[in-house]
Amino acid sequence: MSVKENFKTYIPSVIGLTLVFASFVIMVSVSNSRTQSLSQLEGKKVQLQNKIDQMSVQNKTTVTKVKAQAGGLKSDKVEVDDKAVNDLMTYIFNWKSYDEYTKIREELMTKYYLKSDSSFMTVFMPELFNEEIDGKKYNRIDVNGYNVKYNNIKTYVTNADSSDVYSYFAVVSVTTQSKNEGSKDFSLALEYKMTKDSKIYDLVGYTLD
């Protein structure tokens, strides 16, 4: 068989391999394009959800502020309730060392029946761990001088029932401080209820910034 005839014999195989390779390249290209598109969609979804959450909080703040200004509320009770929650925030952020932080955290969980992984604890007083290096324990509070300063709280009544139990939504302003990162202002959100005699319960927390 001549070289020309041999070449003709292999032509179908070469064409077949070429088509397979081309199909593979197209599939990879489509897959990469699809993955990229899915990633972009996922990113847009996250951005949209963040925007929705932010709008929800802003809307809730406006609505609850209107409710708080409506008639039927006992201004003297609201004043006492505000003092109680302000005292609680002052107490929560009144720590200067890791040991003080841990002590206050444990007292809060015991007094208000809060779990370590509850929304309030994870937002307002998350669990911090000591890291042991060469037999010595280190943590961001004692090493970096990390602290959180309580600035103020804005409260809004969301509901008042016949038994004088008031529900509140509040925005807590705080400032974080550390040697390495300097200071930063941000806000935390808080929902809670107050009994007739201004005892706080049902604490729920989440971040705004």
Side-chain angles (χ1 to χ4, degrees):
M1 185 181 292
S2 66
V3 174
K4 186 175 181 180
E5 291 176 334
N6 282 334
F7 180 75
K8 289 181 179 180
T9 302
Y10 288 113
I11 285 178
S13 299
V14 172
I15 293 175
L17 289 173
T18 301
L19 290 174
V20 170
F21 180 77
S23 299
F24 177 76
V25 170
I26 292 172
M27 288 176 60
V28 170
S29 178
V30 170
S31 177
N32 289 339
S33 178
R34 184 177 299 173
T35 301
Q36 185 176 6
S37 297
L38 289 174
S39 297
Q40 291 175 347
L41 287 174
E42 189 64 23
K44 289 181 180 179
K45 179 181 176 182
V46 172
Q47 291 176 358
L48 179 59
Q49 186 60 53
N50 289 339
K51 187 174 182 179
I52 290 173
D53 291 344
Q54 184 179 5
M55 290 174 64
S56 176
V57 170
Q58 290 174 344
N59 181 63
K60 188 172 186 179
T61 302
T62 302
V63 172
T64 52
K65 186 174 183 180
V66 171
K67 287 185 177 180
Q69 293 171 346
L73 298 180
K74 298 178 180 179
S75 59
D76 55 342
K77 172 171 170 52
V78 173
E79 185 177 346
V80 175
D81 289 352
D82 283 352
K83 183 181 184 305
V85 73
N86 182 72
D87 289 345
L88 176 60
M89 293 297 106
T90 301
Y91 173 70
I92 287 176
F93 297 110
N94 184 32
W95 45 267
K96 302 296 182 184
S97 67
Y98 176 80
D99 290 340
E100 290 179 358
Y101 180 92
T102 302
K103 180 182 177 182
I104 292 175
R105 190 172 185 277
E106 291 175 352
E107 289 176 351
L108 278 175
M109 289 190 291
T110 300
K111 184 175 181 179
Y112 297 102
Y113 305 99
L114 295 166
K115 293 183 179 181
S116 179
D117 60 351
S118 67
S119 65
F120 180 81
M121 295 305 297
T122 54
V123 169
F124 283 83
M125 295 201 80
E127 187 172 7
L128 300 178
F129 297 94
N130 265 317
E131 293 186 17
E132 189 167 332
I133 303 175
D134 296 331
K136 295 183 179 181
K137 293 182 178 180
Y138 299 90
N139 59 77
R140 61 185 304 192
I141 296 176
D142 295 334
V143 174
N144 296 327
Y146 178 79
N147 205 319
V148 181
K149 175 187 174 185
Y150 167 59
N151 298 322
N152 58 67
I153 183 171
K154 294 181 180 179
T155 66
Y156 306 96
V157 180
T158 59
N159 188 59
D161 65 21
S162 57
S163 60
D164 277 349
V165 172
Y166 282 23
S167 299
Y168 289 87
F169 171 79
V171 177
V172 183
S173 172
V174 296
T175 302
T176 58
Q177 301 171 323
S178 69
K179 296 177 181 177
N180 295 339
E181 301 174 1
S183 62
K184 178 184 178 182
D185 297 328
F186 66 100
S187 298
L188 304 173
L190 174 65
E191 288 183 321
Y192 58 97
K193 293 180 181 179
M194 286 282 189
T195 63
K196 183 177 181 179
D197 55 350
S198 298
K199 302 296 183 185
I200 193 168
Y201 69 104
D202 276 1
L203 290 159
V204 178
Y206 51 94
T207 59
L208 292 178
D209 297 336

